[in-house]
Amino acid sequence: MSFFEQLQQLTHAEQLELQSIPVIQNAMTGQVTLNQYVAFLTQAYHHVKHTVPLLMACGSRLSDEKEWLREAIAHYIEEEIGHQEWILNDITACGADADAVRYGQPGFAAELMVAYAYDTIARVNPVGFLGMVYVLESTSVQLATHAASSLHGSLNLPKNAFSYLDSHGTLDLAHVDFFRDLVNRLDLFEDKACLVHCAKSVFSLYGDIFRTLESV
């Protein structure tokens, strides 16, 4: 069994728990409100804007022996630059105030997830950050495109209000293939263990962001 397959198996319970959150289930059938969708985009902006800085921090802390991984991180950075602006464009297309989101503060759940990622890189092991990459990209592949289609039909919004979800469902499909090849090259037990631990934690922390949307 490859390490990627082990990662899927070891985090399967946490992934199912995330997908069972009511607001996610409702999104898959087009049953969330416009306010909930905008609140989702708002929290997405506040963690997605940290993706490139987190990747940079991760790459900067890798050892010389992991130069191959640093090069892969550079590839990720090229792929992810500016995606937070797509989210602000979607917020504008929803009729909401994108500048208020840009200059506003994240909810506590999003702030905590981002802080956990920075702490994993700085204090624990930069390779562990790939656990967060796994959570976000695998979740997008499984849910984003379907949710965008359902919400487009129920919220009566223009197609350009869903560019973030639409694009990431497709983009992250390719990213997961890239990620699979990447983590299968890891050979140290401590790196693999840290990555799995981070993924389990982030599934929970990411879920907390969605749980806060239920009261919006």
Side-chain angles (χ1 to χ4, degrees):
M1 181 184 291
S2 70
F3 174 60
F4 181 78
E5 291 169 332
Q6 293 177 45
L7 174 63
Q8 288 179 305
Q9 187 177 80
L10 292 168
T11 60
H12 186 60
E14 288 79 4
Q15 189 172 53
L16 288 180
E17 186 173 343
L18 170 70
Q19 293 178 2
S20 71
I21 293 171
V23 75
I24 292 180
Q25 292 292 310
N26 291 342
M28 301 303 284
T29 54
Q31 298 182 65
V32 300
T33 66
L34 175 59
N35 284 343
Q36 286 176 316
Y37 179 53
V38 172
F40 160 75
L41 290 173
T42 298
Q43 297 312 309
Y45 170 78
H46 284 296
H47 71 77
V48 169
K49 74 177 183 180
H50 288 278
T51 300
V52 168
L54 281 165
L55 287 165
M56 289 178 169
C58 175
S60 72
R61 287 185 169 268
L62 293 170
S63 65
D64 290 346
E65 289 73 24
K66 290 191 174 63
E67 187 60 32
W68 60 272
L69 182 52
R70 193 177 355 261
E71 290 175 3
I73 295 294
H75 172 78
Y76 267 120
I77 290 171
E78 288 182 5
E79 290 278 315
E80 298 292 337
I81 286 176
H83 287 196
Q84 70 273 16
E85 296 299 323
W86 300 359
I87 300 172
L88 293 179
N89 292 339
D90 288 359
I91 290 171
T92 299
C94 288
D97 186 348
D99 279 343
V101 174
R102 183 193 298 276
Y103 300 111
Q105 295 296 316
F108 181 67
E111 186 173 24
L112 188 60
M113 184 178 76
V114 169
Y116 178 84
Y118 277 114
D119 184 64
T120 295
I121 292 168
R123 184 179 60 84
V124 185
N125 181 341
V127 177
F129 172 64
L130 294 176
M132 180 173 176
V133 173
Y134 173 68
V135 172
L136 298 182
E137 296 199 338
S138 64
T139 302
S140 287
V141 165
Q142 293 177 14
L143 305 177
T145 302
H146 187 174
S149 177
S150 297
L151 295 176
H152 179 58
S154 65
L155 293 179
N156 196 28
L157 291 170
K159 184 71 173 172
N160 62 351
F162 301 97
S163 64
Y164 172 66
L165 286 178
D166 271 335
S167 61
H168 277 71
T170 304
L171 272 177
D172 289 340
L173 193 60
H175 286 179
V176 168
D177 289 339
F178 181 76
F179 179 87
R180 177 190 299 111
D181 294 339
L182 196 65
V183 298
N184 281 340
R185 291 184 63 182
L186 294 172
D187 54 3
L188 295 180
F189 172 81
E190 56 266 34
D191 288 341
K192 296 177 184 178
C194 187
L195 195 160
V196 170
H197 177 76
C198 181
K200 284 175 173 282
S201 301
V202 173
F203 268 122
S204 176
L205 293 167
Y206 193 38
D208 286 343
I209 294 175
F210 289 98
R211 292 182 184 95
T212 66
L213 303 181
E214 293 174 15
S215 60
V216 172

